[in-house]
Amino acid sequence: GAVVSQHPSRVICKSGTSVKIECRSLDFQATTMFWYRQFPKKSLMLMATSNEGSKATYEQGVEKDKFLINHASLTLSTLTVTSAHPEDSSFYICSVISYVGTAKNIQYFGAGTRLSVL
Amino acid sequence: AQTVTQSQPEMSVQEAETVTLSCTYDTSESDYYLFWYKQPPSRQMILVIRQEAYKQQNATENRFSVNFQKAAKSFSLKISDSQLGDAAMYFCACGGSQGNLIFGKGTKLSVKP
């Protein structure tokens, strides 16, 4: 399967600051990446679909001005949490998807980023 | 719209025994995929098995197999010869043609030595 690198693995920031999380596809060109949020002991909730070279598609209830997504290349998507507040503390996970071959429609996940806002 | 339901919040199995995790789903798409992902304490999501809905044959991956009942919209996971390393959260997921996944709430599997 695809190798996905997500950085940083953990970040602690002060309320009001912005945090950038990177998601890199290391071994294939990802036209589409996904960003999820996971609360403790809960399931993954899709936040947005990141498309290379175009605007991200956000799920209902997700503030696009709060969670900025940039997918400027086929190997990198970034999620920036702007003006972070304690309620933004969560586990954020990215994934890449293959649309071809035997791995069609399989999502491969990064290791996640634990964000703590003080 | 898609929904995925996992009715077992927690399950327990003795090492070397077999356990079955349940999952039901609903989707309006005719072309869809079903997945089981494993999330160990490290929180890294790991693909366990995938089923293409148009295939009647149940998918298998070594000790993992599924019972896919399309008419009943059921997609259970059977783990044979359970090992301590199988202990994790297991998420059932349904994906459409665009690839977006809807996850169930998960089942926490404990393996007793």
Side-chain angles (χ1 to χ4, degrees):
Chain A
V3 180
V4 182
S5 174
Q6 188 172 339
H7 180 81
S9 59
R10 174 119 194 219
V11 58
I12 301 172
C13 70
K14 292 182 179 180
S15 185
T17 61
S18 295
V19 174
K20 180 185 285 188
I21 302 170
E22 294 186 346
C23 181
R24 293 183 184 273
S25 176
L26 299 184
D27 57 354
F28 84 96
Q29 296 179 328
T31 56
T32 301
M33 296 185 181
F34 298 96
W35 287 96
Y36 294 87
R37 182 172 181 175
Q38 186 179 29
F39 291 101
K41 299 184 180 180
K42 297 293 184 182
S43 188
L44 280 72
M45 297 298 295
L46 178 65
M47 297 175 66
T49 302
S50 171
N51 300 297
E52 188 268 335
S54 65
K55 292 182 179 180
T57 303
Y58 290 83
E59 295 299 301
Q60 190 172 8
V62 178
E63 299 176 60
K64 62 180 182 180
D65 295 329
K66 175 75 169 175
F67 299 99
L68 299 178
I69 292 173
N70 183 283
H71 192 157
S73 78
L74 289 171
T75 59
L76 174 65
S77 176
T78 60
L79 169 67
T80 301
V81 183
T82 62
S83 186
H85 291 284
E87 58 265 31
D88 299 323
S89 298
S90 192
F91 192 67
Y92 294 88
I93 312 175
C94 71
S95 72
V96 303
I97 186 168
S98 171
Y99 286 117
V100 298
T102 57
K104 184 179 179 182
N105 280 45
I106 292 177
Q107 288 190 30
Y108 299 96
F109 289 83
T113 297
R114 183 185 301 277
L115 171 63
S116 299
V117 185
L118 305 179
Chain B
Q2 296 172 327
T3 60
V4 176
T5 302
Q6 293 179 250
S7 59
Q8 306 154 316
E10 296 187 18
M11 290 285 284
S12 180
V13 63
Q14 203 73 33
E15 193 176 7
E17 297 296 311
T18 296
V19 65
T20 298
L21 308 184
S22 301
C23 173
T24 58
Y25 66 93
D26 195 10
T27 179
S28 57
E29 299 206 33
S30 58
D31 181 19
Y32 61 93
Y33 300 77
L34 297 164
F35 304 85
W36 280 97
Y37 280 91
K38 167 184 176 182
Q39 188 178 42
S42 68
R43 304 190 77 173
Q44 170 77 59
M45 293 289 285
I46 301 167
L47 177 67
V48 175
I49 201 165
R50 177 188 67 152
Q51 175 79 43
E52 294 150 301
Y54 65 86
K55 289 188 177 179
Q56 294 184 344
Q57 186 173 8
N58 289 325
T60 62
E61 287 288 342
N62 301 313
R63 298 182 295 107
F64 300 89
S65 62
V66 298
N67 183 2
F68 175 43
Q69 300 292 324
K70 191 170 185 178
K73 296 184 178 179
S74 171
F75 183 61
S76 61
L77 174 69
K78 185 172 80 171
I79 306 174
S80 304
D81 186 25
S82 297
Q83 301 176 358
L84 295 177
D86 295 333
M89 283 291 290
Y90 285 81
F91 292 99
C92 178
C94 180
S97 56
Q98 297 303 310
N100 298 37
L101 286 179
I102 300 299
F103 286 89
K105 292 185 176 182
T107 297
K108 182 178 181 180
L109 178 66
S110 302
V111 181
K112 297 180 180 179

